[in-house]
Amino acid sequence: MIFGECKLFRDVVYAKSLSRAAQLNGISQSAATQQIQDLEKRLGTELFDRSTRPLGLTPAGKLYADLCRDVLRRAEDFTAALEEIRDTSESTIRIASIYSIGLSEMGRLREEFGQVLPAAAIHVELLRPDRVYDAVLTDQADLGFISYPEHRRELTVIPWREERMTVAAYPTHPFASRGMVQPADLDGQAFIAFDEEVIIRRELDRFFRDSGVEISISMQLDNIQSIKEAVALGSGISILPERTMQAEVEQKRLVSIPLNAPELRRPVAIIHRKKKKLTRAVREFLNFVTG
Amino acid sequence: MIFGECKLFRDVVYAKSLSRAAQLNGISQSAATQQIQDLEKRLGTELFDRSTRPLGLTPAGKLYADLCRDVLRRAEDFTAALEEIRDTSESTIRIASIYSIGLSEMGRLREEFGQVLPAAAIHVELLRPDRVYDAVLTDQADLGFISYPEHRRELTVIPWREERMTVAAYPTHPFASRGMVQPADLDGQAFIAFDEEVIIRRELDRFFRDSGVEISISMQLDNIQSIKEAVALGSGISILPERTMQAEVEQKRLVSIPLNAPELRRPVAIIHRKKKKLTRAVREFLNFVTG
DNA sequence: CAACAATATCAGAAATACTTATGCTATTCT
DNA sequence: AGAATAGCATAAGTATTTCTGATATTGTTG
């Protein structure tokens, strides 16, 4: 019981009787008497006027009764608010994701998981990679979806999938009719690349170097969405995770041509705080996604 | 300590540390830990995020911290208000008095008692007799000053003095030059009497009957003040407690002539609730007045 | 990974709160 | 007024809670 002492006092005032208040609180009359006496001793003032029956309040007792009323009312608000956040935080799954994964996967996941656990509310926030780590570390998100996962001490990293990388080209590009592109074919092609600081760029640079291919970079952008746009507008070709192109391929704004480079894969992982106790909903979701 | 649990929690939040909060509250770190854990168990929610240091609040913990802040603030107001009423109620003496005594005695008593206990504030309320009893019984007054005291179960009656009754006359009345009036002298005089329901009236009626005196009532009033006024204006004579005429006699608006009737005295008493614990100031005052 | 600082846990001791039985007191009824 | 009644106070013993000190565990830092 929270603020039980206040409740007892309020009940005594209301019932004008220690014995009835004791009943209301499931204790003996003697216990109620002792509690009130102890309270009076602590405050150094009589709270009830014992010389009359039914029990009346002294001026100090009136003040304390007001205090109890206010405290109990405030406590009720608290309890209600607590119930509320319990309900919502128990059933909402807060996900932070990098743009590419969020855009290509989250719609599907949300829909499919809705069948499994309809009570859950999935909240997705799309962020730049480092903000995804932050969100998870500061408990603003339960789970984070990232590519090329960095391992950190406070994080649990769950490898999720390795996405195949394919060549992205505009429909009229010569590659568009090919069934498969060889690394060597890329030599000299106008290429739309990621900014240098993006990990995927470094992976591709290494791939080109290893394959002895020299590409000509026609544009540098920092996100997949913009690269797809540039490719569709014919500014060059690129190499992107196949699944992130799905929508544009269906709309025939892009074509995705397999690249003969099995080692070129983008690892996608789910992260969460190592120490955090996951709610049932989050565990179910993780289980559903990875299982 | 009042709301000690809230205080501890607030301190933990403030110090972001159980051990420092424990120090602040003069208990061991272990005790603090256990208290918070017990609180969490009662609420059914974690309040602190233990997976990080310094300790951080969970959303529920934030709610509870707000509750504690509000409760403690409210409790401070209460404590201040309590201190205030304690100070005043400890040092103020609430007196209910009938008009005649209040007017003739209270000024003097207040002044003299001011020398004895300067800290005390004397509050006098002048009321009709039955309201004086009410005021004392309902604890609106600590002491009551009344004449012809009625004894009641819940009251302690302290006889204070027996006031001599003298003849009140206007300065030009034949009695004015007398040194003493005999009961028989009153026969046939125009007399200003109390209303029938006033006790003093019944006492005087008995006196007249016992003395075989027949007076002629020229006016009936229900209070001494009005009677003095009427006598001063020459509407007749009256018999009044000597002390209540003091001011008018000094102003030479009335004369007070001794009456040879030693049995005719008005008893004045102080009453208070039998069960009520009198404050020190009130006890001092009683002691001063009666001692 | 070692070292440090803080929290968690455990067991026993101290303090507090509760219960039953009984004494007291205010009120009511006659 | 006095006996009966209902309700509060008190006492003593028991149960429960809370605290402490020692120790284990955990999070952080270099």
Side-chain angles (χ1 to χ4, degrees), chain A residues 3 6 9 43 59-75, chain B residues 2-3 6-7 10 65-83:
Chain A
F3 297 127
C6 278
F9 189 87
L43 295 177
K62 179 73 175 62
L63 282 182
Y64 191 75
D66 289 346
L67 172 64
C68 288
R69 175 175 43 70
D70 291 349
V71 166
L72 290 170
R73 190 172 298 167
R74 181 67 183 75
Chain B
I2 196 174
F3 297 127
C6 278
K7 171 156 165 29
R10 187 199 53 184
D66 290 347
L67 172 65
C68 288
R69 174 173 44 67
D70 291 350
V71 166
L72 290 170
R73 191 172 296 168
R74 180 68 183 75
E76 264 182 42
D77 293 350
F78 162 77
T79 306
L82 182 64
E83 207 46 54

Side-chain angles (χ1 to χ4, degrees), chain B residues 7 11 14-15 22 60 67 82 105-106 119 132 134 190 203 207 213 239 282 284:
Chain B
K7 171 156 165 29
D11 291 348
Y14 169 74
L67 172 65
L82 182 64
E105 306 292 339
M106 284 305 157
V132 172
D134 285 354
E203 298 288 328
F207 165 69
V213 168
I239 296 176
V282 173
E284 296 273 353

Side-chain angles (χ1 to χ4, degrees), chain B residues 17-285:
Chain B
S17 153
L18 283 161
S19 30
R20 256 166 298 164
Q23 280 189 311
L24 289 174
N25 289 66
I27 57 175
S28 66
Q29 167 265 318
S30 171
T33 297
Q34 290 174 65
Q35 269 202 39
I36 299 294
Q37 283 177 339
D38 178 68
L39 180 61
E40 288 176 325
K41 206 161 57 189
R42 287 202 314 270
L43 295 176
T45 321
E46 303 239 304
L47 263 18
F48 286 104
D49 180 354
R50 263 81 164 184
S51 68
T52 181
R53 253 176 237 162
L55 244 44
L57 284 171
T58 63
K62 180 72 176 61
L63 283 181
Y64 191 75
D66 290 347
L67 172 65
C68 288
R69 174 173 44 67
D70 291 350
V71 166
L72 290 170
R73 191 172 296 168
R74 180 68 183 75
E76 264 182 42
D77 293 350
F78 162 77
T79 306
L82 182 64
E83 207 46 54
E84 165 126 5
I85 68 163
R86 222 196 315 243
D87 285 354
T88 62
S89 93
E90 274 300 301
S91 62
T92 80
I93 302 166
R94 298 166 305 160
I95 295 174
S97 170
I98 58 173
Y99 277 81
S100 59
I101 305 172
L103 290 171
S104 60
E105 306 292 339
M106 284 305 157
R108 181 180 60 83
L109 288 178
R110 169 181 277 134
E111 196 170 317
E112 291 175 15
F113 189 63
Q115 312 287 341
V116 177
L117 212 166
I122 299 180
H123 180 255
V124 177
E125 191 148 10
L126 299 185
L127 300 166
R128 308 180 155 267
D130 55 330
R131 312 294 286 119
V132 172
Y133 286 95
D134 285 354
V136 171
L137 287 170
T138 61
D139 197 36
Q140 292 175 274
D142 299 308
L143 301 175
F145 281 74
I146 42 134
S147 59
Y148 301 104
E150 291 174 35
H151 289 255
R152 301 195 194 179
R153 200 160 16 81
E154 298 152 63
L155 289 180
T156 297
V157 176
I158 302 165
W160 184 35
R161 57 165 56 141
E162 302 256 317
E163 300 194 319
R164 190 153 42 131
M165 305 281 279
T166 59
V167 176
Y170 42 92
T172 57
H173 189 276
F175 284 180
S177 52
R178 298 269 198 98
M180 166 82 84
V181 173
Q182 299 302 323
D185 300 337
L186 298 169
D187 201 72
Q189 286 287 336
F191 196 85
I192 300 173
F194 285 91
D195 282 344
E196 271 104 357
E197 60 271 17
V198 179
I199 305 176
I200 199 168
R201 163 70 180 267
R202 296 202 286 274
E203 298 288 328
L204 286 172
D205 281 351
R206 187 197 342 255
F207 165 69
F208 292 137
R209 196 169 57 246
D210 292 353
S211 314
V213 168
E214 193 85 23
I215 49 148
S216 112
I217 290 175
S218 64
M219 239 177 173
Q220 284 198 171
L221 299 167
D222 75 344
N223 68 82
I224 291 180
Q225 212 55 28
S226 304
I227 292 177
K228 288 191 294 188
E229 214 49 51
V231 171
L233 293 173
S235 304
I237 64 167
S238 191
I239 296 176
L240 296 173
E242 184 175 27
R243 299 180 64 96
T244 64
M245 288 186 265
Q246 220 162 270
E248 285 80 3
V249 169
E250 275 166 21
Q251 296 164 211
K252 310 231 185 284
R253 300 179 60 222
L254 287 182
V255 289
S256 158
I257 310 107
L259 177 64
N260 188 11
E263 76 279 21
L264 207 57
R265 306 189 137 253
R266 180 175 79 147
V268 172
I270 303 172
I271 57 174
H272 64 79
R273 283 176 72 200
K274 194 169 280 175
K275 292 302 150 56
K276 178 134 203 275
K277 193 174 68 194
L278 302 178
T279 64
R280 198 178 63 82
V282 173
R283 289 197 308 275
E284 296 273 353
F285 182 77

Side-chain angles (χ1 to χ4, degrees), chain A residues 10-25:
Chain A
R10 187 197 54 186
D11 291 348
V12 173
V13 173
Y14 170 75
K16 299 182 199 302
S17 153
L18 284 160
S19 31
R20 256 168 298 162
Q23 279 190 310
L24 290 174
N25 289 67

Side-chain angles (χ1 to χ4, degrees), chain A residues 16-250:
Chain A
K16 299 182 199 302
S17 153
L18 284 160
S19 31
R20 256 168 298 162
Q23 279 190 310
L24 290 174
N25 289 67
I27 58 175
S28 66
Q29 167 265 316
S30 173
T33 296
Q34 291 174 63
Q35 269 203 38
I36 299 294
Q37 283 178 339
D38 177 68
L39 180 60
E40 290 177 324
K41 207 161 57 189
R42 286 199 318 265
L43 295 177
T45 322
E46 303 241 303
L47 264 17
F48 287 104
D49 180 354
R50 262 82 164 186
S51 68
T52 181
R53 255 175 238 163
L55 244 43
L57 283 172
T58 62
K62 179 73 175 62
L63 282 182
Y64 191 75
D66 289 346
L67 172 64
C68 288
R69 175 175 43 70
D70 291 349
V71 166
L72 290 170
R73 190 172 298 167
R74 181 67 183 75
E76 266 183 42
D77 292 348
F78 163 75
T79 307
L82 183 63
E83 206 46 54
E84 166 126 3
I85 69 162
R86 225 195 313 244
D87 285 355
T88 62
S89 92
E90 274 302 301
S91 63
T92 79
I93 301 166
R94 298 167 304 161
I95 294 174
S97 169
I98 58 173
Y99 278 80
S100 59
I101 304 172
L103 290 170
S104 60
E105 305 292 339
M106 283 305 156
R108 180 180 62 83
L109 287 177
R110 169 182 276 135
E111 196 170 316
E112 290 175 16
F113 189 63
Q115 313 286 342
V116 177
L117 211 166
I122 299 179
H123 179 256
V124 177
E125 190 148 8
L126 299 186
L127 300 166
R128 305 181 158 266
D130 54 331
R131 313 295 286 119
V132 171
Y133 286 96
D134 285 353
V136 171
L137 287 171
T138 61
D139 198 35
Q140 291 174 277
D142 299 307
L143 301 176
F145 282 73
I146 42 134
S147 60
Y148 299 103
E150 291 173 35
H151 289 256
R152 302 194 194 179
R153 201 161 13 82
E154 298 152 64
L155 290 181
T156 298
V157 175
I158 303 165
W160 182 34
R161 55 165 58 142
E162 302 255 317
E163 299 193 320
R164 189 150 48 129
M165 307 280 278
T166 59
V167 175
Y170 42 93
T172 58
H173 189 276
F175 284 179
S177 52
R178 299 266 199 98
M180 166 82 83
V181 173
Q182 299 302 323
D185 299 337
L186 299 169
D187 201 73
Q189 285 286 336
F191 196 84
I192 301 173
F194 284 92
D195 280 344
E196 269 104 358
E197 60 270 19
V198 179
I199 304 175
I200 199 169
R201 162 69 179 268
R202 295 200 287 273
E203 298 288 326
L204 286 172
D205 281 353
R206 187 196 341 255
F207 165 68
F208 291 137
R209 196 170 55 248
D210 292 353
S211 313
V213 167
E214 195 85 22
I215 48 150
S216 106
I217 290 174
S218 62
M219 241 175 173
Q220 283 198 172
L221 299 167
D222 75 345
N223 68 83
I224 292 180
Q225 211 55 27
S226 304
I227 293 176
K228 288 191 293 187
E229 214 51 52
V231 172
L233 293 173
S235 303
I237 63 168
S238 192
I239 295 177
L240 296 173
E242 184 173 28
R243 298 181 64 98
T244 64
M245 289 187 264
Q246 218 163 272
E248 285 78 2
V249 169
E250 273 165 24

